[in-house]
Each structure stands twice: as C-alpha cells, then as structure tokens.
Amino acid sequence: MAADGLRHEFKVVVVTGVPGVGKTTVLSELAKIAESRGVKIKVSNFGTYMLETALKEGIVDDRDKIRTLPLRKQLELQRLAAQAIVRDAARELGSDGVLIVDTHALVKTSAGYWPGLPRHVLDELKPDMIAVIEASPEEIAARQARDRSRYRADMGGVEGVRRLLEEARTASIASAVHYASTVAFIENREGKASEAAMQLLQLIEKL
Amino acid sequence: MAADGLRHEFKVVVVTGVPGVGKTTVLSELAKIAESRGVKIKVSNFGTYMLETALKEGIVDDRDKIRTLPLRKQLELQRLAAQAIVRDAARELGSDGVLIVDTHALVKTSAGYWPGLPRHVLDELKPDMIAVIEASPEEIAARQARDRSRYRADMGGVEGVRRLLEEARTASIASAVHYASTVAFIENREGKASEAAMQLLQLIEKL
Amino acid sequence: MAADGLRHEFKVVVVTGVPGVGKTTVLSELAKIAESRGVKIKVSNFGTYMLETALKEGIVDDRDKIRTLPLRKQLELQRLAAQAIVRDAARELGSDGVLIVDTHALVKTSAGYWPGLPRHVLDELKPDMIAVIEASPEEIAARQARDRSRYRADMGGVEGVRRLLEEARTASIASAVHYASTVAFIENREGKASEAAMQLLQLIEKL
C-alpha cells in the first residue's frame, strides 16, 4: 500500500475523452510505444468490465443494453467494475506497472450529464493521473457524423460537443480533488494519435 | 436502501438556480404536470427547512435573519435541514416517489460564494439528479431589478449574474461527483416555465 | 470543536493564487492591516511546512528539491504538513484567531495540473474560506518574465497563465464543496496589494 491508503502499488492512469475524440486510437498507439520503451502497462476498458460484470450477474445479454439500464443499476455495476479492474491489475502489475483505465469523465445520458469518475469509483481506482484526451469540437462532431453506427447518442453537433468538452474538464478536476490526481489535457490532432500517445507516456513517466 | 448506500428508496432531484431565474414558477408548474401525469412528487424547500429548524432551536425568529447568522451556525442548520427533509420524504414517499429539493448550488454571501450542496448535505440527500435552472444573465438581472423587495442581495448586475451562473455550473458538477448524480441544465425562457417544467419531468422519468 | 467536526475552533482561510499573482505581497499587507485592526492572524506557508517536514524526515536538503520529489512522496508530505499547520495554529490561536494558509488551488507540474487542496489536505484544514488572488494573465506573465529566478517553471506565457487561472477557479470550487468553504475571488491590481489585502480582511470579518 503506497502513500498511506491514497495509492495502489502500481500507478493508475485514467484516460478519458468524449466519444469521437479518438481515445481508442491513442490508447492502441500508447500500448505499442510503451512496449517498445519497456514500460509495463495494462489497459482496462471500464465499459467492458461493466458489461462482463452485468453478464456474470445475468443482468444483460449484450453491451448496448448496459446503457439502457436504469442509472441506479449502472451505479452498482460501476463499483463492481472498478473493483474487478483493480483486482486484475494487482495480479498482473507490480510497483513498476501502470494500469490504464479507459473511461469517461462525464457521460451524456438521457437523464443529464453523468460523472464517470464519481467518488465510489475513485475510492477503488485511486488515480495518480486523470488524462483528458481532447480535440476540436469541429473534428469530433465530424467524426461522430461519419460513423453513426458507433456514436449513436445525439451529441448535439459542434455546440453540443463544445459544451460536453467544457463540462468534462470541470468534472475531471472535481474528480481529481478526491485523490490528489494530476489532470493532464492532451490534444489529439487529426492523424497525430501517436504524438498524443507519446505525450501521454512522457507525462506518465513523470509521475 | 437502494444501490448500496448511494441512494434512497425514493428518487432525489435537487433543483437549483440563481435568484431571479424563475425556479419557483418552474417548480409550481412541475407540481401540476406531475400530478396530471400521476407522478408522485414532494417538493421541499431547503431554506424553509433551515428556518423551521432554526425556529425550533430558538436561534432566529424570522426567515430573513437566517442569512445574517454566522456561516458556522448556518452550517449546523444545513445538516439538520437535510436530515429533516429526508426524514419527512421517507414517511411520505415509497420507491415510486420523487423528492424535489428546492435549493442553490452556490449562494452569493458577504463572505464569498458558498456551496449549497457541500459534502455534509450530499451525505444526507444522496441526489439522483442535480438540475440547474438557467436563463440569460440579462433576463435574470432584469427580473432582480424589477422586484427589489425579493432579491435584496446585490448580484452585481448582468456581469455579476453571468459570473454566478458560471460558478454555479462548476459547483453543480463538483457536487455531482460525490454521489454520481446526473447534472441537467434546463433553460427557463421568459414566459415558458411550463416548458422548462415539462423538460425537467421528462429527465426525471429517465432516471 | 466547532460545527460538528466541520470546523476548527479558530477560523481557517486558505489563500491561493498562481505564481506571479502577487500573493506574498498581499499577505504581508494583510498581516500589517490585521495587526492595526486587532485581528489575530497567523500566516502559515504550506510549502515551508512541506520543506520542514521533508528536512525532519531526511528526505531532502533544500526547498527546490521538494518539487523534484515523486508526487507520491509529496502526497505524504502534504498530509503531514497540513497536520503540522493545524497543530501549530491550535497552540497559538483561540476561537477569535484566524489561520491563513498560503498555498495553491492547482499546481502546474511536469505530470499535469495537481490539486493543492485535495481531500486529504481538506480533511485536516477544514477551511472556512478559500480565497483566490487573481490578476490579469498579461500582468502575471509579465511578472513571471521579469523575475525568471523566482518562477522557474515555464507557465506557457499569457495563454498558459489564462488557462491555469481558469482551471484553478474550478479546482477552488471543487475543493470548497468538501467542507462548505466559501470561495472569494480577489483582484490584485498592479501596485494595489494593500487594497486587495483590505478586501480580503473584510471578507474574513464576515465569516
């Protein structure tokens, strides 16, 4: 137990970003660069863990149904998912390892913006860093429009995205106060995901 | 006890808004619409509960004096008021009921902005949603100027209101992180309070 | 113990500000004005307490090395420093005294923005007020450029400072939610530090 209950042995970096910002690409670049530099990382997708938990408990039978569950049910899954992520990381990572948690700081739901890093999740993750992958609202909205099958929720076009980006920044800082996490804003320019990944890795190495 | 200590049986929706935004009108419209749709709600005004608590404890003899109490004294009243609100709601509402708490996310005091939803209040309310009723700074400032008897505190005109709106948004999101509450921003256009109320009710039904 | 575990006997005012805002000058003016008005204050510098703690524990041998310590090590020092500040204040101040804690709401580090008032520090300080000393980004950047020896970290010029000011506001409000602290934004105009100090003192007297 490091830093008196405030940290895990391994480092925990939560990587957030609004849908369409290119987070998945940045994270797959990160995995490659980390390997080539001998940095031991494990990337865990929060949504996947929520789904697996829900399947195990017989609550849903496919991923899309998670989002249609009442938020109170999702709340329970959130905590269980966070616990499972930490448990798995503890088995695989030592004090030189880095757990990357792929998730959101704020999720647009039909009942309003929903914090992706509320206190009961932070109590499990105890993040060293909350990274916020960003891009221009125009680029993000264009990417969402291009791939409708993937980004089903209506994000309200450029203005809706701009607003979500702003509120997600606020949410990241508000979440960071709970465990003294650093907050890093990383610009993911079109076609430059490996640069964003490199910048993220350099920040992680400073932790 | 729902969702493992994070929620009450009934739903809790905290409705906030700066003075002059028209929150009272929206809430009285909400009560009507909810009744006509068979949604069981109970609206509790935080300030009224604070006053009743203060009267019961012999601390003040009228409502205006609450605001002149030292903030430390108000802090105690805040917690007692939150507890009383929940206690009363538990008596009246079952798992299909909705408690509406009428309050502020941030209050302008002579000693600075004061959070209306600090942790010790959130620990009692455990909100499912924090709704933020908004309007244009110009409309709000005009309403404050028209009815000086009601909005005694000087809000600093249009610029002061704009600033308070911004900081209140931040405070709402910061408060939402504690209990994974959703945050919904609802525009209350001049003369359209029933539309705002309808929008709020639709969001509540998605919880 | 005042207000049921949420406050110390003495008042606690945390004074924050980005490097170059002129916080030190404001605080030395505050000490003078407070003395002339018979207000009992004690000013404690958070960084100095961290250094003393680190020296005592044999972790570093000079102040500059604190910033080069891994953040996890600084985390431990943060908590110990907060505890020592409160312990010393409790010896010197009664219920009429005011502890002023000179620190930051958000620190720019090589691993991202770092909260200066995270929960584990707030749990010790329990602030009545978080004051944020501000100035125009242009003035601050100019002051940083003039005195390179003092402000070593690159703050990214006017734009970097503007951004830090914004995120520091957010961090102040997010921190304020934990102990229902008021948040006061105080403008420190060039050459007008005593006016800023006077404004701060007047806010403190309203607590």
Side-chain angles (χ1 to χ4, degrees):
Chain A
M1 187 62 76
D4 208 11
L6 293 170
R7 292 289 180 265
H8 292 288
E9 284 242 53
F10 46 92
K11 285 175 190 153
V12 178
V13 175
V14 178
V15 180
T16 70
V18 310
V21 81
K23 192 175 40 151
T24 311
T25 319
V26 173
L27 286 180
S28 83
E29 289 295 321
L30 179 72
K32 280 187 243 165
I33 304 174
E35 206 192 341
S36 76
R37 286 166 76 116
V39 179
K40 190 172 178 185
I41 72 169
K42 172 181 170 59
V43 180
S44 298
N45 183 289
F46 204 94
T48 303
Y49 269 86
M50 277 182 74
L51 174 62
E52 278 164 16
T53 307
L55 291 171
K56 209 180 293 168
E57 312 239 327
I59 297 171
V60 297
D61 51 16
D62 90 68
R63 184 169 187 147
D64 293 353
K65 291 198 183 129
I66 293 257
R67 295 206 165 205
T68 65
L69 281 178
L71 291 181
R72 286 180 169 210
K73 203 79 204 166
Q74 290 190 45
L75 215 58
E76 284 178 36
L77 290 177
Q78 258 189 342
R79 173 151 33 197
L80 293 170
Q83 287 168 346
I85 286 171
V86 167
R87 204 163 44 230
D88 288 355
R91 261 200 302 268
E92 291 177 40
L93 298 170
S95 63
D96 62 334
V98 182
L99 167 64
I100 306 283
V101 182
D102 177 358
T103 189
H104 302 279
L106 204 65
V107 180
K108 199 170 177 174
T109 78
S110 55
Y113 296 110
W114 202 42
L117 295 168
R119 187 177 50 181
H120 70 281
V121 169
L122 295 166
D123 282 343
E124 306 296 336
L125 298 183
K126 306 175 196 288
D128 289 80
M129 181 193 289
I130 298 173
V132 185
I133 310 293
E134 300 190 323
S136 77
E138 289 76 12
E139 259 176 46
I140 296 171
R143 235 175 278 165
Q144 289 175 352
R146 240 179 284 145
D147 192 354
R148 286 245 166 265
S149 63
R150 186 156 173 217
Y151 312 110
R152 272 134 313 177
D154 178 19
M155 291 289 169
V158 173
E159 267 323 296
V161 170
R162 190 188 314 278
R163 180 72 183 274
L164 180 55
L165 283 168
E166 265 175 42
E167 311 300 8
R169 280 190 175 194
T170 301
S172 309
I173 293 175
S175 291
V177 163
H178 289 252
Y179 280 86
S181 318
T182 62
V183 182
F185 300 102
I186 293 165
E187 186 79 14
N188 180 31
R189 289 193 191 76
E190 190 72 52
K192 307 276 188 190
S194 65
E195 284 179 22
M198 180 56 91
Q199 193 191 339
L200 177 53
L201 192 64
Q202 285 166 347
L203 286 161
I204 291 170
E205 289 175 347
K206 295 287 167 117
L207 280 174
Chain B
M1 187 62 74
D4 209 9
L6 293 170
R7 291 290 179 265
H8 292 287
E9 283 242 53
F10 45 92
K11 285 175 190 154
V12 178
V13 175
V14 178
V15 180
T16 69
V18 310
V21 81
K23 192 174 42 149
T24 310
T25 318
V26 172
L27 287 180
S28 82
E29 289 295 320
L30 179 73
K32 280 187 242 164
I33 304 175
E35 206 192 340
S36 76
R37 286 165 77 114
V39 180
K40 190 172 177 183
I41 71 168
K42 172 180 170 61
V43 180
S44 297
N45 183 289
F46 204 94
T48 303
Y49 268 86
M50 276 183 74
L51 174 63
E52 278 164 16
T53 306
L55 291 171
K56 209 180 292 170
E57 312 238 329
I59 297 171
V60 296
D61 51 16
D62 90 69
R63 183 168 188 147
D64 293 353
K65 292 198 182 128
I66 292 257
R67 294 207 166 205
T68 65
L69 281 178
L71 291 181
R72 287 181 169 207
K73 203 78 203 167
Q74 290 190 44
L75 215 58
E76 285 177 37
L77 291 177
Q78 259 190 342
R79 176 155 25 202
L80 293 170
Q83 287 169 346
I85 286 171
V86 167
R87 205 165 43 230
D88 287 356
R91 260 200 302 268
E92 291 177 39
L93 297 171
S95 62
D96 62 335
V98 182
L99 167 63
I100 306 284
V101 182
D102 177 359
T103 190
H104 302 279
L106 204 64
V107 179
K108 199 170 179 175
T109 78
S110 55
Y113 296 109
W114 203 43
L117 295 168
R119 186 177 51 179
H120 70 281
V121 169
L122 295 166
D123 283 343
E124 306 296 337
L125 298 183
K126 308 175 195 286
D128 289 81
M129 182 192 289
I130 298 172
V132 185
I133 310 294
E134 299 189 323
S136 77
E138 289 77 13
E139 259 176 48
I140 295 170
R143 236 175 278 168
Q144 288 174 352
R146 240 179 284 145
D147 192 354
R148 286 243 167 266
S149 62
R150 184 153 175 218
Y151 312 111
R152 273 134 310 178
D154 178 21
M155 290 289 168
V158 173
E159 266 323 296
V161 170
R162 190 188 313 279
R163 181 71 182 276
L164 180 56
L165 284 167
E166 265 174 42
E167 312 300 8
R169 280 188 174 195
T170 302
S172 309
I173 293 175
S175 291
V177 163
H178 289 252
Y179 279 86
S181 317
T182 62
V183 182
F185 300 102
I186 292 165
E187 187 78 16
N188 180 30
R189 289 192 191 76
E190 190 72 52
K192 306 277 190 190
S194 66
E195 283 179 21
M198 179 57 92
Q199 193 190 338
L200 178 54
L201 191 64
Q202 284 167 347
L203 287 161
I204 291 171
E205 289 175 346
K206 295 287 167 115
L207 281 174
Chain C
M1 186 62 76
D4 208 9
L6 293 170
R7 291 290 180 265
H8 292 288
E9 284 243 52
F10 45 92
K11 285 174 190 155
V12 178
V13 175
V14 178
V15 180
T16 70
V18 310
V21 81
K23 192 175 41 151
T24 310
T25 318
V26 172
L27 286 180
S28 81
E29 288 294 321
L30 179 72
K32 279 187 245 165
I33 304 175
E35 206 193 339
S36 77
R37 285 165 78 116
V39 180
K40 190 173 179 183
I41 72 169
K42 173 181 169 59
V43 180
S44 297
N45 183 289
F46 204 94
T48 303
Y49 268 87
M50 276 182 75
L51 174 62
E52 278 165 16
T53 307
L55 291 172
K56 209 180 291 169
E57 313 238 329
I59 297 170
V60 295
D61 51 17
D62 90 68
R63 184 169 188 148
D64 292 355
K65 291 197 183 129
I66 292 258
R67 295 207 165 204
T68 65
L69 281 178
L71 291 181
R72 286 180 170 209
K73 203 79 203 166
Q74 290 190 44
L75 215 58
E76 284 178 36
L77 291 177
Q78 257 189 345
R79 176 155 25 200
L80 293 169
Q83 287 168 346
I85 285 172
V86 167
R87 204 165 43 230
D88 288 356
R91 260 200 302 268
E92 290 178 39
L93 297 171
S95 63
D96 61 336
V98 182
L99 168 64
I100 306 284
V101 182
D102 177 358
T103 189
H104 302 278
L106 204 65
V107 179
K108 198 169 179 176
T109 78
S110 55
Y113 296 110
W114 203 43
L117 295 168
R119 186 178 49 181
H120 69 281
V121 169
L122 295 165
D123 282 344
E124 306 296 337
L125 298 183
K126 307 175 195 285
D128 289 80
M129 181 192 290
I130 298 173
V132 185
I133 311 293
E134 299 189 324
S136 77
E138 290 76 14
E139 258 176 48
I140 295 170
R143 237 174 277 167
Q144 289 175 352
R146 239 179 285 145
D147 192 356
R148 286 243 167 267
S149 63
R150 185 154 173 217
Y151 311 111
R152 274 135 310 179
D154 178 20
M155 291 288 169
V158 173
E159 267 323 297
V161 170
R162 191 188 312 279
R163 180 71 182 274
L164 180 56
L165 283 167
E166 266 175 41
E167 312 300 8
R169 281 189 175 196
T170 302
S172 309
I173 293 175
S175 291
V177 163
H178 289 252
Y179 279 86
S181 317
T182 62
V183 182
F185 300 101
I186 293 166
E187 187 79 13
N188 180 30
R189 289 192 192 76
E190 190 72 51
K192 306 277 189 190
S194 66
E195 284 179 22
M198 180 56 91
Q199 194 190 338
L200 177 54
L201 192 63
Q202 284 166 346
L203 288 161
I204 290 170
E205 289 175 346
K206 295 286 167 120
L207 280 174

